[in-house]
Amino acid sequence: MSVSVTFGDDDLTEQAGETAGQLASEGVPQALASGDATLWGTEAQAEAAVRLGWLNLPLTSRQLLPEIGALVERARAEGLDHVVLAGMGGSSLAPEVITASADVPLTVLDTTDPGQVRRALEDRLESTILVVASKSGGTVETDSHRRIYEKAFRDAGIDPASRIVVVTDPGSPLELSAREAGYQVILADPNVGGRYSALTAFGLVPSALAGADVERLLDDAAEVLPLLSRTEGNPGLDLGAALGAAAASGRDKLVIEDSLSEINGLPDWIEQLVAESTGKSGKGILPVVGADPGDADDELLAGIDTDATVTVVGPLGAQFLVWEYATAVAGRVLGIDPFNQPNVAESKENTAKLLDQAELPVGTPLLVDGPVEVYGEFPGSEDVKDLSDVLTRLLESIPERGYLAVMAYLDREAAFDAPYPEGASFEEMTDVWSGADPATLRGMLAIRTERPVTFGWGPRFLHSTGQYHKGGPQNGVFLQITGAVENDVEVPGKPYTLGRLQLAQALGDQGALASRGRPTVRLHLTDRAAGVARLLAAAREV
C-alpha cells in the first residue's frame, strides 16, 4: 500500500491543484526525482547538490542490511537487549517513531538532563548496547553521552568497544576516533541531511537493534518511489503543493493529528522536518503537535490516517519519503532553501561562549513565586505580581498571527508526572481543561488563547523548531523552563557537567531569541517537583 493524500476543503483543493499544475508545467516532479539541485535557486544550489541522496534511499540503503543484520545477530547472541540511542534531531526522532510504531523498546537520549541520563545509565548496563549517532561527529550532546557511557562501561569492567556502535558520515571526527577506539562504525550517506535521514543508517541501525523490521520499512518506501516523478497521482507533489500554497496564502500553522493512526509519534518527526526546513528568511511553516484544531484562519489541519483538511494515509516508510519530498516542494513554492539551517549555529555558539565563563550569567530574577524564579523582560510598564500574571502577560503579548512556544529544559520522561495541581480533583480539572490535553502545560495554556501553543523539550527542539523560532516569521513569544539539578553527571574529559551544559544551552538560546525583540521569559524551578506543581497551578489560575 502506497501513500494517498486527500483534501477535505474546497478552497485548499483548488489552491493545491493550481500550485501542483504550475509545478508540473515547470517540470518540477521529474527534475526533483532526478536530483536536480537547481530547483531552489542559485544560492541554494551548492547545498542542494549534496543533500538530495534521500531520494534514492529505498534502494541504496539496502546495501546496509547485511551489515545491520550481522550486528543484530551479534547483539542477540551476547544478550545485549537494552538498546540505547545517543543522537539529536533526525538522528533520534526517526528511530523513536520507527520503534514506537513497531512496539519495540528503545531508550533515546536526546537530552542533557542529568536525571534522564542517569536513569538510563542505571538501567541494565550489563546488557546495554549504545548507538552513538552524529552526522557531523561533533554534536555536543551526543559527544557527552559517549564520554559518560565509556566511563560507565569501564567502571563496570566492560570493554566499551564491545558495546558501542557509531553511526556517522564518512570522514567525520567521530569516525576517526571511533575506529581508533575499536568501535564498530556504520557509515551513513553523506549526501543526506540529518532531518532527511530516516531511511539511512541513522534510522535503520538503532531501529533494527531494537527489533523493528527495517527491510519492510524500505520496501514500503520503495513502493511509493516510482510515483514521485509523475505529474498526476504523485502524493509528494500533492502534499507539497498543499503545504506551500496554504502557507503562501497565510495558513502557515500546520496542526498535525494522528490520534487514530497505528503509526506512533510521526507528528514529532514531521515537526522537525518541516520547521527546520522551511523556517528561515522570515518565512516558514510552523508545525503544531498535540493541539486541538482551532478556528484560526492561519491554521491548516493535517491528519495521519485521520480525516482532516489534509489527510495522509500510508505505511511509515512511505510516509517518511512523501513528507520529505513534500517539504522540498513546499520550499520551492515558498522560495526558500529547504536543506540549510542558517540560524541553528547561533544558539550553539552562544552556549560554547557561556561554557567558557567561570560562572553562568543567570542574572537576577524579576520575581520569585515560591519555588519558581522568573527571568526576562515583559511588555508594558507594570511589574508582574505573580506567576499567573507572568503567564497572562505572555499570552496577551502574542501578536496577531503569532504563537507561544513553551521550551522545557527538563527530564522529558518525568517532569510532568503530576498532571494537575496538588489538591485539585480530576473532575475539577476536567472542567478547566475543556478537552485540552491534561498531561501537559501546553494544553492548559492553549485553552486560554486562540493562538497556537507549541511545546518543545530542550535541547532537542534546538535541532528542529529552534531554526524556525529564530529564522522564521518573527511573531513568536517564548517561555523557557529550567530546573535546579540535585544529582549532576560529570562529562569525562570536559570542564562541565550535564547540568551546567543544560543551563548554558537554555541561556544561549534565550539570548538568541531575546535579540530578536520578542518577549522571552525563563522560569527556573528551584525545586523541580514543587516548581512544576506551582506552574500548573498558576496556569489554572490564568
Side-chain angles (χ1 to χ4, degrees):
M1 174 186 176
S2 59
V3 171
S4 66
V5 177
T6 57
F7 306 128
D9 179 306
D10 290 340
D11 290 340
L12 181 63
T13 300
E14 183 178 352
Q15 284 182 327
E18 290 177 356
T19 302
Q22 178 64 34
L23 292 166
S25 71
E26 296 167 355
V28 170
Q30 300 91 335
L32 179 53
S34 65
D36 186 345
T38 67
L39 288 171
W40 301 274
T42 54
E43 291 186 6
Q45 185 172 347
E47 182 78 20
V50 293
R51 288 293 179 263
L52 291 171
W54 53 271
L55 287 159
N56 298 312
L57 290 175
L59 305 178
T60 57
S61 283
R62 292 181 185 278
Q63 65 189 11
L64 294 172
L65 294 179
E67 186 177 9
I68 294 174
L71 172 62
V72 171
E73 288 183 8
R74 176 178 75 82
R76 289 176 178 166
E78 296 176 5
L80 305 180
D81 57 2
H82 181 214
V83 184
V84 178
L85 169 62
M88 299 298 298
S91 298
S92 63
L93 285 163
E96 193 166 61
V97 176
I98 295 167
T99 55
S101 299
D103 194 24
V104 294
L106 176 68
T107 298
V108 176
L109 288 182
D110 54 359
T111 181
T112 46
D113 186 79
Q116 192 172 335
V117 173
R118 186 179 296 278
R119 192 166 53 254
L121 276 172
E122 294 172 350
D123 182 15
R124 296 169 288 161
L125 185 67
E126 72 283 354
S127 62
T128 291
I129 183 168
L130 175 72
V131 179
V132 176
S134 171
K135 179 177 174 63
S136 67
T139 309
V140 64
E141 300 93 339
T142 306
D143 177 69
S144 299
H145 299 150
R146 176 185 60 80
R147 292 170 178 269
I148 290 166
Y149 265 88
E150 284 176 339
K151 182 178 186 302
F153 283 136
R154 291 192 182 103
D155 289 349
I158 299 170
D159 180 3
S162 68
R163 299 298 186 88
I164 295 179
V165 178
V166 167
V167 180
T168 189
D169 275 6
S172 77
L174 180 58
E175 183 202 358
L176 301 179
S177 63
R179 292 197 187 280
E180 289 177 358
Y183 301 157
Q184 180 169 352
V185 177
I186 299 181
L187 297 177
D189 188 332
N191 293 318
V192 179
R195 56 189 177 274
Y196 291 80
S197 66
L199 300 176
T200 69
F202 287 108
L204 302 183
V205 171
S207 300
L209 279 168
D213 185 348
V214 296
E215 185 172 5
R216 173 64 183 274
L217 199 73
L218 295 176
D219 289 343
D220 289 338
E223 189 173 339
V224 80
L225 189 59
L227 305 179
L228 300 183
S229 60
R230 298 182 182 178
T231 56
E232 300 284 344
N234 181 337
L237 177 65
D238 293 341
L239 179 58
L243 298 178
S249 67
R251 298 173 75 178
D252 60 353
K253 311 300 189 301
L254 182 66
V255 181
I256 312 171
E257 188 176 60
D258 69 342
S259 58
L260 300 179
S261 175
E262 294 183 359
I263 298 174
N264 194 341
L266 187 60
D268 287 333
W269 177 84
I270 294 172
E271 179 183 46
Q272 60 93 31
L273 172 70
V274 172
E276 193 171 29
S277 296
T278 68
K280 57 199 71 170
S281 304
K283 305 176 184 179
I285 300 169
L286 176 67
V288 183
V289 176
D292 290 330
D295 298 324
D297 62 4
D298 59 346
E299 290 185 2
L300 176 67
L301 177 61
I304 307 301
D305 292 346
T306 302
D307 287 341
T309 310
V310 179
T311 301
V312 187
V313 178
L316 181 56
Q319 291 264 8
F320 280 143
L321 190 58
V322 166
W323 278 97
E324 289 166 349
Y325 185 103
T327 300
V329 168
R332 178 178 169 90
V333 174
L334 295 175
I336 54 92
D337 177 358
F339 305 112
N340 69 350
Q341 48 278 333
N343 303 104
V344 168
E346 184 177 353
S347 293
K348 295 180 181 179
E349 292 167 358
N350 287 353
T351 297
K353 292 176 182 177
L354 289 169
L355 287 173
D356 286 339
Q357 299 183 25
E359 294 186 7
L360 296 179
V362 296
T364 302
L366 300 175
L367 170 74
V368 177
D369 187 335
V372 182
E373 298 175 341
V374 182
Y375 299 83
E377 296 183 1
F378 293 89
S381 58
E382 296 181 4
D383 292 336
V384 289
K385 300 185 293 294
D386 56 24
L387 190 52
S388 295
D389 192 25
V390 170
L391 299 177
T392 298
R393 293 278 196 95
L394 283 174
L395 292 170
E396 291 176 346
S397 67
I398 304 174
E400 183 180 3
R401 310 190 74 80
Y403 67 99
L404 170 67
V406 182
M407 304 166 293
Y409 290 80
L410 301 170
D411 182 340
R412 76 177 175 103
E413 296 176 348
F416 288 92
D417 279 352
Y420 43 82
E422 185 177 353
S425 70
F426 182 80
E427 289 75 16
E428 289 173 327
M429 291 310 296
T430 298
D431 292 336
V432 173
W433 289 320
S434 301
D437 181 2
T440 65
L441 175 64
R442 190 215 64 79
M444 298 179 72
L445 294 175
I447 62 174
R448 289 165 172 80
T449 178
E450 296 180 353
R451 303 308 309 147
V453 178
T454 68
F455 188 99
W457 291 103
R460 72 184 242 165
F461 80 86
L462 293 176
H463 299 260
S464 57
T465 51
Q467 167 61 44
Y468 181 97
H469 294 332
K470 293 178 281 289
Q474 298 303 323
N475 56 10
V477 173
F478 304 99
L479 175 64
Q480 281 190 341
I481 308 171
T482 58
V485 174
E486 294 182 357
N487 194 6
D488 213 340
V489 176
E490 298 286 337
V491 180
K494 292 293 182 179
Y496 50 78
T497 62
L498 282 184
R500 179 177 168 85
L501 173 58
Q502 184 182 41
L503 183 55
Q505 289 176 312
L507 295 174
D509 196 46
Q510 184 182 19
L513 294 170
S515 69
R516 285 160 171 78
R518 287 296 175 193
T520 304
V521 171
R522 180 170 69 91
L523 306 181
H524 185 69
L525 314 181
T526 55
D527 178 299
R528 290 198 180 197
V532 166
R534 176 68 195 113
L535 180 54
L536 292 173
R540 184 188 183 193
E541 296 163 3
V542 171

